[in-house]
Amino acid sequence: MSHRWACLLGRPVAHSLSPALHNAAFLALGIDAHYDARDVALDDLPAVVDSLRAPDCFGANVTAPHKQAVMALLDSVGVEAQALGAVNTIVNTNGRLSGGNTDAAGLARWMRLSGIEPRGNPTVVLGAGGAARSAVWALADLGATSVVVLNRTVERAEALVTGLRTHLPATYLTWGALDKAAEAVNQPWRVVINATSLGHHGASPVVHPSWYSPGSVAIELAYNPPETGFMVAARQAGARAENGLGMLLHQAALAFERWTGQVPPMDVYEAAVAGHERIGQ
Ligand SMILES: NC(=O)c1ccc[n+]([C@@H]2O[C@H](COP(=O)([O-])OP(=O)(O)OC[C@H]3O[C@@H](n4cnc5c(N)ncnc54)[C@H](OP(=O)(O)O)[C@@H]3O)[C@@H](O)[C@H]2O)c1
């Protein structure tokens, strides 16, 4: 086949890093293909998704606000994407569209490659939106003994935990109010993930210094700005702190692999986003 294509479906998409990432990887691997970002209204979603069945299309990424709505338009949706309640990757195989979610697997792969080891340890996720769901899944996948989900709206944390418990039986999941993070604890946590969107607004959840030791890792899922108050406070309390760029790159890499069967060079991805001040899938 000659020229191929893939795209991002969302609204807005102008901020997206995905075209820079995937186009750089196509070029580096000598794949004759391009990737573009498409601003799609909800009413237009069925027709746009149908266009992905074309023989020259690899598939698509999906971002807000279409990650849920797109599920009903596909021929199949993977177990993990169903459990997470969101599709971020569509693969076109001979006109059949399958939906998957690479956020949790991308976060888990980056953590593994970065030497972040939740196995056998208690962990915390702050927030209860889509990113928090993926974070809980990734921590359970990496063998965390427990995950406590703390959220401003406690009912959302409860719903997240009760929804995921049956899928993640080996990890003890519980929930509480985000305010709990400000209270002292007797034992530091191994991994604390901030999956609230506060970092975008120059704000951070308050986390008590006793939550951290030198063996702790604090992960901010936002990556713009690259350093947040959550990360600074964690470092001051002795922990290692990281932002969400690694998750972004690895969820993109997994989508690329599903479309092309080839592994994108991560140094090419890193170079493609270096210096970019934009946010998003
Ligand atoms: N690195 C990556 O690849 C990647 C991928 C996806 C997302 N992310 C990042 O993850 C974060 C969350 O994204 P999302 O898609 O999960 O968003 P979301 O579904 O909108 O959830 C937002 C979360 O932030 C909480 N929150 C918002 N404003 C708050 C406030 N003023 N005080 C306390 N809590 C507040 C919400 O609590 P309530 O439930 O109480 O409203 C909710 O838990 C964002 O920073 C996003 O950029 C990163």
Side-chain angles (χ1 to χ4, degrees), residues 73-164:
L73 304 171
L74 305 174
D75 300 305
S76 64
V77 175
V79 174
E80 192 170 322
Q82 281 181 33
L84 295 172
V87 159
N88 80 336
T89 301
I90 299 170
V91 178
N92 174 30
T93 311
N94 301 323
R96 282 186 63 79
L97 300 180
S98 56
N101 190 308
T102 64
D103 278 338
L107 175 59
R109 187 160 84 172
W110 167 74
M111 286 169 73
R112 211 179 289 117
L113 292 171
S114 305
I116 299 169
E117 183 52 277
R119 185 166 302 281
N121 284 285
T123 62
V124 178
V125 171
L126 308 177
R133 221 166 245 274
S134 293
V136 171
W137 190 283
L139 289 166
D141 189 39
L142 293 177
T145 49
S146 62
V147 186
V148 183
V149 179
L150 302 180
N151 196 45
R152 175 181 62 176
T153 310
V154 182
E155 299 74 27
R156 256 187 117 188
E158 179 179 5
L160 186 161
V161 165
T162 50
L164 285 184

Side-chain angles (χ1 to χ4, degrees), residues 103 127-132 151-153 156 178 195-198 200 221-223 244-245 247-248 251 279:
D103 278 338
N151 196 45
R152 175 181 62 176
T153 310
R156 256 187 117 188
L178 186 61
T196 72
S197 47
L198 280 166
H200 289 314
L221 291 191
Y223 47 87
L245 192 59
M247 174 181 175
L248 174 86
Q251 63 78 26
I279 310 172

Side-chain angles (χ1 to χ4, degrees), residues 119-261:
R119 185 166 302 281
N121 284 285
T123 62
V124 178
V125 171
L126 308 177
R133 221 166 245 274
S134 293
V136 171
W137 190 283
L139 289 166
D141 189 39
L142 293 177
T145 49
S146 62
V147 186
V148 183
V149 179
L150 302 180
N151 196 45
R152 175 181 62 176
T153 310
V154 182
E155 299 74 27
R156 256 187 117 188
E158 179 179 5
L160 186 161
V161 165
T162 50
L164 285 184
R165 260 185 186 152
T166 50
H167 298 280
L168 307 171
T171 301
Y172 179 67
L173 305 183
T174 186
W175 71 87
L178 186 61
D179 296 348
K180 283 268 174 212
E183 297 175 11
V185 289
N186 294 326
Q187 287 289 324
W189 304 93
R190 175 58 67 97
V191 179
V192 179
I193 297 182
N194 180 21
T196 72
S197 47
L198 280 166
H200 289 314
H201 311 292
S204 284
V206 178
V207 179
H208 196 276
S210 62
W211 282 39
Y212 298 118
S213 73
S216 306
V217 187
I219 304 171
E220 168 76 73
L221 291 191
Y223 47 87
N224 185 4
E227 179 93 348
T228 64
F230 169 79
M231 294 166 65
V232 171
R235 276 202 203 101
Q236 282 171 350
R240 171 179 169 187
E242 302 283 352
N243 69 25
L245 192 59
M247 174 181 175
L248 174 86
L249 299 185
H250 283 277
Q251 63 78 26
L254 287 167
F256 190 94
E257 287 167 36
R258 291 181 190 181
W259 295 328
T260 65

